Amino acid sequence: MRKKWIFLAPLAILAMLLFIAIGGEVVRHLWNWLLPPLFGWHEITFWQALGMLVLCRILFGGFGCHGPSRSNGRWRMTPEERERFRQRMRERCGFGPSTSEGKGQ
């Protein structure tokens, strides 16, 4: 098992570096192909493209940790928590009847 890791670790590092290099080149080529002719922006270098990939990952992709309370984009709430949340939203935003007001009318 230990010998297997000796061969897999460098291979995994090489694969990650290759993936990053290809991603940076793809972004650079797409930027330089589309944006300068369309908008007159400057062409970018490989390192700028790589920086854009990292920046987009930070701004739009996060770091992959969504916390324990999220599952498939939905919050896990008990029915009581959900009703408390709805009640607070009604009180704060002033829309819709609250649970005690609108049922009898």
Side-chain angles (χ1 to χ4, degrees):
M1 182 70 172
R2 190 167 176 90
K3 288 183 181 182
K4 187 176 183 180
W5 281 107
I6 291 173
F7 292 113
L8 284 180
L11 189 62
I13 292 170
L14 183 64
M16 287 190 303
L17 291 175
L18 185 64
F19 183 75
I20 291 169
I22 290 172
E25 280 297 314
V26 167
V27 169
R28 183 180 71 87
H29 284 290
L30 283 173
W31 178 284
N32 292 339
W33 175 52
L34 290 172
L35 295 178
L38 289 174
F39 303 110
W41 293 357
H42 297 284
E43 291 188 358
I44 62 172
T45 65
F46 169 77
W47 296 108
Q48 289 170 328
L50 207 57
M52 285 181 53
L53 275 178
V54 171
L55 181 63
C56 287
R57 178 67 181 167
I58 291 170
L59 293 176
F60 304 117
F63 292 106
C65 53
H66 298 291
S69 62
R70 293 209 50 177
S71 172
N72 296 330
R74 296 184 183 182
W75 294 99
R76 294 183 201 160
M77 289 185 178
T78 64
E80 294 83 17
E81 291 172 330
R82 194 175 300 120
E83 188 54 40
R84 273 197 321 258
F85 175 76
R86 288 178 182 158
Q87 184 64 32
R88 283 196 315 256
M89 290 305 291
R90 285 184 191 111
E91 291 169 0
R92 280 186 187 171
C93 301
F95 65 87
S98 65
T99 54
S100 60
E101 294 173 355
K103 291 187 177 183
Q105 296 176 350

